[in-house]
Coordinates of all heavy atoms in Angstrom, one line a residue:
D214 N -18.4 -5.3 4.3 CA -17.5 -5.9 5.3 C -16.9 -4.9 6.2 O -16.7 -3.7 5.8 CB -16.4 -6.7 4.6 CG -16.9 -8.0 4.0 OD1 -18.0 -8.3 4.2 OD2 -16.1 -8.6 3.3
K215 N -16.6 -5.3 7.4 CA -16.0 -4.3 8.4 C -14.5 -4.4 8.3 O -13.9 -5.4 8.7 CB -16.5 -4.7 9.8 CG -18.0 -4.5 10.1 CD -18.4 -4.9 11.5 CE -19.9 -4.7 11.7 NZ -20.3 -3.3 11.8
L216 N -13.9 -3.3 7.8 CA -12.5 -3.2 7.6 C -11.9 -2.2 8.5 O -10.6 -2.0 8.5 CB -12.1 -2.9 6.1 CG -12.7 -3.8 5.1 CD1 -12.4 -3.3 3.7 CD2 -12.1 -5.3 5.2
N217 N -12.7 -1.5 9.2 CA -12.2 -0.3 10.0 C -12.6 -0.5 11.5 O -13.6 -1.1 11.8 CB -12.9 1.0 9.4 CG -12.5 2.2 10.2 OD1 -11.3 2.5 10.3 ND2 -13.5 3.0 10.7
Y218 N -11.7 0.1 12.4 CA -12.0 0.1 13.8 C -12.1 1.5 14.3 O -11.1 2.2 14.3 CB -10.8 -0.7 14.5 CG -10.8 -2.2 14.1 CD1 -10.2 -2.6 12.9 CD2 -11.4 -3.1 14.9 CE1 -10.1 -3.9 12.5 CE2 -11.4 -4.5 14.5 CZ -10.8 -4.8 13.3 OH -10.7 -6.2 13.0
F219 N -13.3 1.9 14.7 CA -13.6 3.3 15.0 C -13.5 3.4 16.6 O -14.4 2.9 17.3 CB -15.0 3.6 14.5 CG -15.5 5.0 14.8 CD1 -14.6 6.0 14.9 CD2 -16.9 5.2 14.8 CE1 -15.1 7.3 15.1 CE2 -17.4 6.5 15.0 CZ -16.5 7.6 15.2
R220 N -12.5 4.1 17.0 CA -12.2 4.1 18.5 C -13.1 5.0 19.2 O -13.3 6.2 18.8 CB -10.8 4.6 18.7 CG -10.3 4.6 20.1 CD -9.5 3.4 20.5 NE -8.3 3.3 19.6 CZ -7.4 2.3 19.7 NH1 -7.6 1.3 20.6 NH2 -6.4 2.2 18.9
Q221 N -13.7 4.5 20.3 CA -14.5 5.3 21.2 C -13.7 5.5 22.5 O -13.3 4.6 23.2 CB -15.8 4.6 21.5 CG -16.6 4.2 20.3 CD -16.9 5.4 19.4 OE1 -17.6 6.3 19.8 NE2 -16.4 5.3 18.1
H222 N -13.5 6.8 22.9 CA -12.8 7.0 24.1 C -13.2 8.4 24.7 O -13.8 9.2 24.1 CB -11.3 7.0 23.9 CG -10.8 7.9 22.8 ND1 -10.4 9.2 23.1 CD2 -10.6 7.7 21.5 CE1 -10.0 9.8 21.9 NE2 -10.1 8.9 20.9
S223 N -12.8 8.6 25.9 CA -13.2 9.8 26.7 C -12.7 11.1 26.1 O -13.2 12.2 26.5 CB -12.9 9.7 28.2 OG -11.5 9.5 28.3
N224 N -11.6 11.1 25.3 CA -11.0 12.3 24.9 C -11.5 12.7 23.5 O -11.0 13.7 22.9 CB -9.4 12.1 24.8 CG -8.7 13.4 24.7 OD1 -9.1 14.4 25.3 ND2 -7.6 13.4 23.9
K225 N -12.5 12.1 23.0 CA -13.1 12.4 21.7 C -13.9 13.7 21.8 O -14.5 14.0 22.9 CB -14.0 11.3 21.1 CG -13.3 10.1 20.8 CD -14.2 9.0 20.2 CE -14.6 9.4 18.8 NZ -13.5 9.2 17.8
A226 N -13.9 14.5 20.8 CA -14.7 15.8 20.8 C -16.2 15.6 20.7 O -17.0 16.3 21.2 CB -14.2 16.7 19.7
T227 N -16.6 14.5 19.9 CA -18.0 14.3 19.6 C -18.9 14.2 20.9 O -19.9 14.8 21.0 CB -18.2 13.1 18.7 OG1 -17.4 13.3 17.5 CG2 -19.6 12.9 18.4
P228 N -18.5 13.3 21.9 CA -19.4 13.2 23.0 C -19.6 14.6 23.8 O -20.7 14.9 24.2 CB -18.7 12.2 23.9 CG -17.9 11.4 23.0 CD -17.4 12.4 21.9
R229 N -18.5 15.3 23.9 CA -18.6 16.6 24.5 C -19.5 17.6 23.7 O -20.3 18.3 24.3 CB -17.2 17.3 24.7 CG -16.3 16.5 25.6 CD -15.1 17.3 26.0 NE -14.3 17.8 24.8 CZ -13.4 17.2 24.2 NH1 -13.0 15.9 24.7 NH2 -12.7 17.7 23.2
A230 N -19.4 17.5 22.4 CA -20.2 18.4 21.6 C -21.7 18.0 21.6 O -22.6 18.9 21.6 CB -19.7 18.3 20.1
K231 N -21.9 16.7 21.8 CA -23.3 16.3 21.9 C -23.9 16.7 23.2 O -25.1 17.1 23.3 CB -23.4 14.7 21.8 CG -23.2 14.2 20.4 CD -23.4 12.7 20.4 CE -23.3 12.1 19.0 NZ -23.4 10.6 18.9
S232 N -23.1 16.6 24.3 CA -23.7 17.0 25.6 C -24.0 18.5 25.7 O -24.9 18.9 26.4 CB -22.6 16.6 26.7 OG -21.5 17.5 26.7
E233 N -23.4 19.3 24.9 CA -23.6 20.7 24.9 C -24.6 21.1 23.7 O -24.9 22.3 23.6 CB -22.3 21.5 24.8 CG -21.4 21.3 26.0 CD -20.1 21.9 25.9 OE1 -19.9 22.7 24.9 OE2 -19.2 21.7 26.7
G234 N -24.9 20.1 22.9 CA -25.9 20.4 21.8 C -25.2 21.0 20.6 O -25.9 21.4 19.7
L235 N -23.9 21.0 20.6 CA -23.2 21.7 19.5 C -23.3 21.0 18.2 O -23.3 21.6 17.1 CB -21.7 21.9 19.9 CG -21.5 22.7 21.1 CD1 -20.0 22.8 21.5 CD2 -22.0 24.1 21.0
I236 N -23.5 19.7 18.2 CA -23.7 18.9 17.0 C -25.0 19.3 16.3 O -25.0 19.5 15.1 CB -23.8 17.4 17.3 CG1 -22.4 16.9 17.8 CG2 -24.2 16.6 16.1 CD1 -21.3 16.8 16.8
F237 N -26.0 19.6 17.1 CA -27.3 20.0 16.6 C -27.3 21.5 16.1 O -27.9 21.8 15.1 CB -28.4 19.7 17.6 CG -28.5 18.3 17.9 CD1 -28.4 17.8 19.2 CD2 -28.9 17.4 16.9 CE1 -28.5 16.5 19.5 CE2 -29.0 16.0 17.2 CZ -28.9 15.6 18.5
T238 N -26.7 22.4 16.9 CA -26.7 23.8 16.5 C -25.9 24.0 15.3 O -26.2 24.9 14.5 CB -26.2 24.7 17.7 OG1 -24.9 24.2 18.1 CG2 -27.1 24.6 18.9
E239 N -24.8 23.2 15.0 CA -24.1 23.3 13.7 C -24.9 22.5 12.7 O -25.0 22.9 11.5 CB -22.7 22.7 13.9 CG -21.7 23.8 14.1 CD -20.3 23.3 13.7 OE1 -20.1 22.2 13.2 OE2 -19.4 24.1 14.0
G240 N -25.5 21.4 13.1 CA -26.2 20.5 12.1 C -27.3 21.2 11.4 O -27.7 20.9 10.3
K241 N -27.9 22.2 12.1 CA -29.1 22.9 11.5 C -28.7 23.5 10.2 O -29.5 23.6 9.3 CB -29.7 23.9 12.5 CG -28.8 25.1 12.8 CD -29.5 26.0 13.8 CE -28.8 27.3 14.0 NZ -27.5 27.1 14.8
Y242 N -27.4 24.0 10.1 CA -27.0 24.6 8.8 C -26.9 23.6 7.7 O -27.1 23.9 6.6 CB -25.6 25.3 9.0 CG -25.6 26.4 10.1 CD1 -24.8 26.2 11.2 CD2 -26.4 27.5 10.0 CE1 -24.8 27.2 12.2 CE2 -26.4 28.5 10.9 CZ -25.6 28.4 12.0 OH -25.6 29.3 13.0
I243 N -26.5 22.3 8.1 CA -26.4 21.3 7.1 C -27.8 20.9 6.6 O -28.0 20.7 5.4 CB -25.7 20.0 7.7 CG1 -24.4 20.4 8.4 CG2 -25.5 19.0 6.6 CD1 -23.3 20.9 7.6
V244 N -28.7 20.8 7.5 CA -30.1 20.5 7.1 C -30.7 21.5 6.1 O -31.3 21.2 5.1 CB -31.0 20.3 8.3 CG1 -32.5 20.1 7.9 CG2 -30.6 19.1 9.1
E245 N -30.4 22.8 6.5 CA -30.9 23.9 5.6 C -30.2 23.8 4.2 O -30.8 24.0 3.2 CB -30.7 25.2 6.3 CG -31.2 26.4 5.5 CD -32.8 26.4 5.4 OE1 -33.4 25.9 6.3 OE2 -33.3 26.9 4.4
D246 N -28.9 23.6 4.3 CA -28.1 23.5 3.0 C -28.6 22.4 2.1 O -28.8 22.6 0.9 CB -26.6 23.3 3.4 CG -25.8 23.2 2.1 OD1 -25.5 24.3 1.5 OD2 -25.4 22.1 1.8
L247 N -28.9 21.2 2.7 CA -29.4 20.1 1.9 C -30.7 20.4 1.3 O -31.0 20.1 0.2 CB -29.4 18.9 2.8 CG -28.1 18.2 3.0 CD1 -28.2 17.1 4.0 CD2 -27.5 17.6 1.7
S248 N -31.6 21.0 2.1 CA -32.9 21.3 1.7 C -32.9 22.2 0.4 O -33.6 22.1 -0.5 CB -33.7 22.0 2.8 OG -35.0 22.4 2.4
H249 N -31.9 23.2 0.5 CA -31.8 24.1 -0.7 C -31.1 23.4 -1.9 O -31.6 23.5 -3.0 CB -30.9 25.3 -0.2 CG -30.5 26.2 -1.3 ND1 -31.4 27.1 -1.9 CD2 -29.4 26.4 -2.0 CE1 -30.8 27.8 -2.8 NE2 -29.6 27.4 -2.9
N250 N -30.1 22.7 -1.7 CA -29.3 22.1 -2.8 C -30.0 20.9 -3.4 O -29.8 20.6 -4.6 CB -27.9 21.7 -2.3 CG -27.0 22.9 -2.2 OD1 -26.6 23.4 -3.2 ND2 -26.6 23.3 -1.0
L251 N -30.9 20.3 -2.7 CA -31.7 19.2 -3.3 C -33.0 19.7 -3.9 O -33.8 18.9 -4.4 CB -32.0 18.1 -2.2 CG -30.8 17.3 -1.7 CD1 -31.2 16.4 -0.5 CD2 -30.1 16.5 -2.8
H252 N -33.2 21.0 -3.8 CA -34.4 21.6 -4.4 C -35.7 20.9 -3.9 O -36.6 20.6 -4.6 CB -34.4 21.6 -5.9 CG -33.1 22.2 -6.5 ND1 -32.9 23.6 -6.4 CD2 -32.0 21.7 -7.1 CE1 -31.7 23.8 -7.0 NE2 -31.2 22.7 -7.4
L253 N -35.7 20.7 -2.5 CA -36.9 20.1 -2.0 C -38.1 21.0 -1.9 O -38.0 22.2 -1.8 CB -36.6 19.6 -0.5 CG -35.4 18.7 -0.3 CD1 -35.3 18.3 1.1 CD2 -35.5 17.4 -1.2
S254 N -39.3 20.4 -2.1 CA -40.5 21.2 -2.0 C -40.7 21.6 -0.5 O -40.1 21.1 0.4 CB -41.7 20.3 -2.4 OG -41.9 19.3 -1.4
P255 N -41.6 22.6 -0.3 CA -41.8 23.0 1.1 C -42.3 21.8 2.0 O -41.9 21.8 3.2 CB -43.0 24.0 1.0 CG -42.7 24.6 -0.4 CD -42.3 23.5 -1.2
L256 N -43.1 20.9 1.5 CA -43.5 19.8 2.3 C -42.3 18.9 2.6 O -42.1 18.4 3.7 CB -44.6 19.0 1.5 CG -45.0 17.6 2.1 CD1 -45.6 17.9 3.5 CD2 -46.0 16.9 1.2
Q257 N -41.5 18.6 1.6 CA -40.3 17.7 1.8 C -39.4 18.3 2.8 O -38.9 17.7 3.7 CB -39.6 17.5 0.5 CG -40.4 16.7 -0.5 CD -39.8 16.7 -1.9 OE1 -39.0 17.6 -2.2 NE2 -40.2 15.8 -2.8
S258 N -39.2 19.6 2.7 CA -38.3 20.3 3.6 C -38.8 20.3 5.0 O -38.0 20.1 5.9 CB -38.1 21.8 3.1 OG -37.3 22.5 4.0
S259 N -40.1 20.5 5.2 CA -40.7 20.4 6.5 C -40.5 19.1 7.1 O -40.2 18.9 8.3 CB -42.2 20.8 6.4 OG -42.7 20.9 7.7
I260 N -40.6 18.0 6.3 CA -40.5 16.6 6.8 C -39.1 16.4 7.3 O -38.9 15.8 8.4 CB -40.9 15.6 5.7 CG1 -42.4 15.7 5.5 CG2 -40.4 14.2 6.1 CD1 -42.8 14.9 4.3
I261 N -38.0 16.8 6.6 CA -36.7 16.5 7.0 C -36.3 17.3 8.2 O -35.6 16.9 9.1 CB -35.6 16.6 5.9 CG1 -35.4 18.1 5.5 CG2 -36.0 15.7 4.7 CD1 -34.2 18.3 4.7
K262 N -36.8 18.6 8.3 CA -36.6 19.4 9.4 C -37.3 18.8 10.7 O -36.7 18.9 11.8 CB -37.0 20.8 9.2 CG -36.2 21.5 8.1 CD -36.7 22.9 7.7 CE -35.9 23.6 6.7 NZ -36.4 24.9 6.3
G263 N -38.5 18.3 10.5 CA -39.2 17.6 11.6 C -38.4 16.4 12.1 O -38.3 16.2 13.3
R264 N -37.8 15.7 11.2 CA -37.0 14.5 11.6 C -35.8 14.9 12.4 O -35.4 14.3 13.4 CB -36.6 13.7 10.4 CG -35.7 12.5 10.7 CD -36.4 11.5 11.5 NE -35.5 10.3 11.8 CZ -34.8 10.2 12.9 NH1 -34.8 11.2 13.8 NH2 -34.0 9.2 13.1
F265 N -35.2 16.0 11.9 CA -34.0 16.5 12.7 C -34.4 17.0 14.0 O -33.7 16.7 15.0 CB -33.3 17.6 11.8 CG -32.0 18.1 12.4 CD1 -30.9 17.3 12.4 CD2 -32.0 19.4 12.9 CE1 -29.7 17.8 13.0 CE2 -30.8 19.9 13.4 CZ -29.7 19.1 13.4
L266 N -35.4 17.7 14.1 CA -35.9 18.2 15.4 C -36.3 17.1 16.4 O -36.0 17.1 17.6 CB -37.1 19.1 15.2 CG -37.6 19.9 16.4 CD1 -36.5 20.8 17.0 CD2 -38.8 20.7 16.0
K267 N -36.9 16.0 15.8 CA -37.2 14.9 16.6 C -36.0 14.2 17.2 O -36.0 13.7 18.3 CB -38.0 13.8 15.8 CG -38.5 12.6 16.6 CD -39.3 11.7 15.8 CE -39.8 10.5 16.6 NZ -40.6 9.6 15.8
R268 N -34.9 14.2 16.4 CA -33.6 13.6 16.9 C -33.1 14.4 18.1 O -32.6 13.8 19.1 CB -32.5 13.7 15.8 CG -32.5 12.6 14.8 CD -31.3 12.7 13.9 NE -30.1 12.6 14.7 CZ -28.9 13.2 14.4 NH1 -28.9 14.1 13.3 NH2 -27.9 13.1 15.1
I269 N -33.3 15.7 18.1 CA -32.8 16.5 19.2 C -33.6 16.2 20.4 O -33.1 16.0 21.5 CB -32.9 18.0 18.8 CG1 -32.0 18.3 17.6 CG2 -32.5 18.9 20.0 CD1 -32.2 19.7 17.1
I270 N -34.9 16.2 20.3 CA -35.8 16.0 21.4 C -35.6 14.6 22.0 O -35.7 14.4 23.2 CB -37.3 16.2 21.0 CG1 -37.5 17.7 20.6 CG2 -38.3 15.8 22.1 CD1 -38.9 17.9 19.9
A271 N -35.3 13.6 21.2 CA -35.2 12.2 21.6 C -33.8 12.0 22.2 O -33.6 11.0 22.9 CB -35.4 11.3 20.5
S272 N -32.8 12.9 22.0 CA -31.4 12.7 22.4 C -31.3 12.6 23.9 O -31.9 13.5 24.6 CB -30.5 13.8 21.9 OG -29.2 13.6 22.4
K273 N -30.6 11.7 24.4 CA -30.3 11.6 25.9 C -28.9 12.0 26.2 O -28.4 11.8 27.3 CB -30.5 10.1 26.3 CG -31.9 9.6 26.1 CD -32.1 8.2 26.5 CE -33.5 7.7 26.3 NZ -33.6 6.3 26.7
D274 N -28.2 12.7 25.3 CA -26.8 13.1 25.5 C -26.6 14.4 26.1 O -25.5 14.8 26.5 CB -26.1 13.0 24.1 CG -26.0 11.7 23.5 OD1 -25.8 10.7 24.3 OD2 -26.1 11.5 22.3
F275 N -27.7 15.2 26.2 CA -27.5 16.6 26.7 C -27.2 16.5 28.2 O -27.7 15.7 29.0 CB -28.8 17.4 26.6 CG -29.1 17.8 25.2 CD1 -30.0 17.0 24.4 CD2 -28.6 18.9 24.6 CE1 -30.2 17.4 23.1 CE2 -28.8 19.3 23.3 CZ -29.7 18.5 22.5
K276 N -26.3 17.5 28.6 CA -25.9 17.5 30.0 C -26.9 18.0 31.0 O -27.0 17.6 32.1 CB -24.6 18.3 30.2 CG -24.7 19.7 29.8 CD -23.3 20.4 29.9 CE -23.4 21.9 29.5 NZ -22.0 22.5 29.6
T277 N -27.9 18.8 30.5 CA -29.0 19.3 31.3 C -30.2 19.5 30.5 O -30.1 19.6 29.2 CB -28.7 20.6 32.0 OG1 -28.6 21.7 31.0 CG2 -27.4 20.6 32.8
V278 N -31.4 19.5 31.1 CA -32.6 19.7 30.4 C -32.7 21.1 29.9 O -33.2 21.4 28.8 CB -33.8 19.5 31.4 CG1 -35.1 19.9 30.7 CG2 -33.9 18.0 31.8

Side-chain angles (χ1 to χ4, degrees):
D214 285 356
K215 294 180 183 288
L216 303 176
N217 181 56
Y218 295 83
F219 183 25
R220 183 99 58 181
Q221 308 301 300
H222 56 86
S223 58
N224 198 37
K225 293 182 76 71
T227 301
R229 298 195 301 273
K231 284 182 177 179
S232 72
E233 297 175 11
L235 301 175
I236 294 292
F237 297 119
T238 54
E239 267 202 3
K241 68 181 187 289
Y242 300 118
I243 311 294
V244 172
E245 184 66 32
D246 178 79
L247 282 170
S248 179
H249 174 74
N250 281 290
L251 292 172
H252 305 291
L253 301 183
S254 71
L256 174 61
Q257 295 168 341
S258 180
S259 186
I260 288 170
I261 70 163
K262 291 173 182 179
R264 176 65 180 91
F265 185 67
L266 187 59
K267 184 177 179 180
R268 276 187 62 212
I269 301 173
I270 294 172
S272 174
K273 298 179 180 179
D274 295 323
F275 289 96
K276 60 183 180 181
T277 66
V278 174

